[in-house]
């Protein structure tokens, strides 16, 4: 679906296990295979606790998978250490849900934006002011904001500062973890517009974590749906409305609020709650909530199968052409 020459990051068979009490094991990510392409956005959606943040944290080396590899331009970042890892961090940056938590409240905006540049020796202290102003303007804020402190700014303005700080090192990838969900809807829209504008200008690959499928669909190029640590569907965003196949994806779509909704019709939703990640059943992880569950679903875990190029589904309702169920 995308041009393979634009492939930047290739995560292969990534699994993360955590030891829990009573010698039990929690599998936060199970054999995840995902790719990021230059200038494209991959939206990763799913309910809280499904493993989407765990996966994205591997990309910025905040955690390491138990198994698998994450190739960035062919080099496995899960094995990088010391100075190699430090230098690589410049290329993959992260924007968090609450930027205040990652800002030092005693630092002025000028220092917050320029700190990464100084840490990597990319500018001299005397260049700070000009650089801060340049990046403030890039995120559509006035240059005078360089003299402010984070607490003198609104939530939307702070998130713009977080984006400025993330792009100042000219990264190839930005990971955004629910980066707009704490903002008012109108501010959310302007931040998404800013992200799209910067992506077009700088050809950055974005990994965007969200639980809101409607929001992701509005600007992502590809969507991966995660359930209890498993990728259950990967689909081009423009095909979501017409080709979404996995019952869980369809349930998420049914739950998207739309102002033009016909409230006289029953809203499709998942009735029960997801099982504990410590208690994932054999077979399909979605079986207890799926209205189309079959015998095979309780015995065999479905793996991702490509239905058409760029569209993969892990569900026994779908089999590859020529394959017998
Ligand atoms: Fe439902 Fe079976 Fe598909 Fe799982 S594999 S989503 S239980 S139909």
């Amino acid at each position: 679906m995308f041009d393979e020459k634009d492939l930047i990051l290739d995560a292969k068979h990534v699994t993360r296990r955590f030891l829990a009490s009573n010698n039990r094991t929690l599998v936060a990510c199970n054999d995840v295979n995902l790719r990021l392409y230059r200038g494209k956005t991959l939206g990763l959606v799913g309910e809280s606790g499904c493993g989407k943040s765990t996966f994205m944290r591997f990309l910025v080396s905040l955690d390491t998978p138990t198994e698998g590899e994450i190739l960035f331009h062919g080099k496995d970042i899960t094995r990088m250490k010391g100075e190699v890892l430090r230098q690589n961090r410049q290329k993959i940056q992260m924007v968090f849900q609450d930027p205040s938590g990652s800002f030092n409240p005693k630092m002025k905006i000028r220092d917050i934006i320029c700190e990464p540049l100084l840490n990597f020796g990319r500018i001299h202290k005397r260049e700070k002011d000009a650089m801060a102003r340049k990046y403030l303007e890039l995120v559509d804020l006035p240059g005078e904001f360089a003299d402010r402190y984070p607490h003198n700014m609104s939530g939307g303005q702070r998130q713009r500062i977080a984006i400025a700080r993330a792009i100042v090192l000219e990264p190839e990838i930005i990971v955004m973890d629910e980066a707009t969900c704490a903002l008012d809807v109108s501010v959310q829209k302007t931040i998404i517009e800013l992200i799209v504008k910067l992506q077009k200008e700088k050809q950055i690959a974005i990994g965007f974590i969200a639980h809101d499928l409607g929001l992701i669909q509005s600007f992502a190029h590809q969507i991966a749906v995660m359930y209890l640590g498993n990728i259950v569907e990967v689909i081009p965003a423009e095909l979501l409305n017409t080709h979404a196949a996995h019952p869980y994806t369809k349930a998420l779509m049914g739950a998207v609020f739309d102002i033009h909704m016909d409230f006289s019709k029953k809203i499709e939703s998942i009735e029960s709650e997801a099982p504990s990640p410590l208690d994932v059943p054999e077979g399909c992880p979605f079986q207890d909530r799926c209205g189309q569950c079959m015998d095979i679903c309780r015995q065999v875990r479905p793996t991702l199968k490509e239905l058409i190029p760029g569209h993969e589904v892990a569900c026994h309702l779908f089999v590859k052409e020529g394959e017998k169920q």
Side-chain angles (χ1 to χ4, degrees):
M1 179 198 150
F2 300 131
D3 197 330
E4 285 308 300
K5 75 173 173 18
D6 290 330
L7 177 66
I8 301 179
L9 184 134
D10 192 1
K12 295 181 173 181
H13 308 294
V14 171
T15 296
R16 179 65 166 107
R17 299 179 215 281
F18 293 97
L19 260 185
S21 56
N22 297 330
N23 275 339
R24 290 191 298 171
T25 304
L26 188 155
V27 184
C29 284
N30 184 30
D31 197 19
V32 172
N33 296 283
L34 287 173
R35 297 170 138 205
L36 286 177
Y37 291 83
R38 194 183 320 282
K40 304 291 182 202
T41 297
L42 169 70
L44 190 52
V45 291
E47 291 160 294
S48 299
C50 71
K52 53 194 190 303
S53 292
T54 302
F55 174 77
M56 289 294 190
R57 284 165 62 88
F58 300 144
L59 310 192
V60 285
S61 305
L62 288 175
D63 193 10
T64 311
T66 321
E67 291 159 36
E69 55 183 11
I70 299 173
L71 304 176
F72 176 59
H73 291 298
K75 292 193 179 132
D76 189 357
I77 57 175
T78 68
R79 295 179 192 279
M80 288 181 185
K81 289 193 169 59
E83 187 57 19
V84 176
L85 176 61
R86 196 180 92 88
Q87 291 298 331
N88 197 67
R89 283 185 198 274
Q90 298 181 72
K91 303 284 182 195
I92 308 176
Q93 292 285 304
M94 187 155 187
V95 174
F96 295 92
Q97 178 181 342
D98 176 14
S100 309
S102 54
F103 293 163
N104 181 341
K106 293 182 180 161
M107 283 170 78
K108 287 190 172 176
I109 298 304
R110 174 188 300 104
D111 300 312
I112 288 171
I113 291 176
C114 292
E115 192 183 33
L117 289 167
L118 290 167
N119 283 346
F120 283 99
R122 306 230 322 222
I123 59 164
H124 193 275
K125 274 186 184 169
R126 63 175 174 270
E127 298 170 279
K128 263 193 332 185
D129 196 54
M131 195 55 90
R133 283 173 177 273
K134 175 183 161 186
Y135 277 90
L136 278 168
E137 281 161 19
L138 211 58
V139 295
D140 302 329
L141 289 175
E144 300 79 64
F145 276 28
D147 272 322
R148 291 197 182 187
Y149 289 94
H151 63 265
N152 297 131
M153 308 183 86
S154 68
Q157 289 168 341
R158 279 197 292 267
Q159 200 55 291
R160 284 172 189 269
I161 299 297
I163 293 169
R165 186 182 152 101
I167 60 171
V168 80
L169 289 169
E170 302 284 337
E172 292 182 54
I173 297 173
I174 297 185
V175 174
M176 299 192 161
D177 190 354
E178 306 269 12
T180 58
C181 77
L183 304 172
D184 289 342
V185 175
S186 57
V187 181
Q188 243 182 32
K189 182 173 176 285
T190 62
I191 295 290
I192 297 295
E193 284 167 354
L194 172 66
I195 293 166
V196 170
K197 179 191 93 167
L198 292 172
Q199 182 177 52
K200 279 192 182 143
E201 281 173 19
K202 297 179 176 293
Q203 288 300 296
I204 303 168
I206 294 176
F208 197 100
I209 303 172
H211 56 263
D212 183 342
L213 196 51
L215 176 85
I216 278 283
Q217 192 190 4
S218 68
F219 71 101
H221 300 91
Q222 189 179 39
I223 293 170
V225 182
M226 202 163 183
Y227 185 75
L228 283 177
N230 297 270
I231 300 292
V232 296
E233 184 156 13
V234 181
I235 183 167
E238 72 270 18
L239 295 185
L240 186 71
N241 286 342
T242 51
H243 287 66
H246 197 283
Y248 179 59
T249 312
K250 288 185 174 176
L252 287 181
M253 288 172 67
V256 172
F257 180 78
D258 178 352
I259 201 148
H260 302 299
M261 257 175 170
D262 179 355
F263 287 98
S264 62
K265 288 186 185 162
K266 186 176 180 296
I267 297 174
E268 293 296 327
S269 61
I270 321 171
E271 301 298 339
S272 55
E273 296 210 349
S276 160
L278 282 167
D279 210 8
V280 181
E282 293 277 311
C284 174
F286 190 59
Q287 58 184 267
D288 293 337
R289 304 170 85 189
C290 180
Q292 293 161 279
C293 183
M294 307 168 283
D295 285 345
I296 188 176
C297 307
R298 302 205 181 276
Q299 294 152 19
V300 181
R301 181 157 297 190
T303 54
L304 282 170
K305 296 179 182 81
E306 189 172 71
L307 302 186
I308 55 172
H311 184 195
E312 297 172 279
V313 183
C315 171
H316 290 305
L317 291 170
F318 305 92
V319 288
K320 269 183 189 166
E321 221 170 288
E323 214 176 58
K324 280 188 186 164
Q325 197 159 357

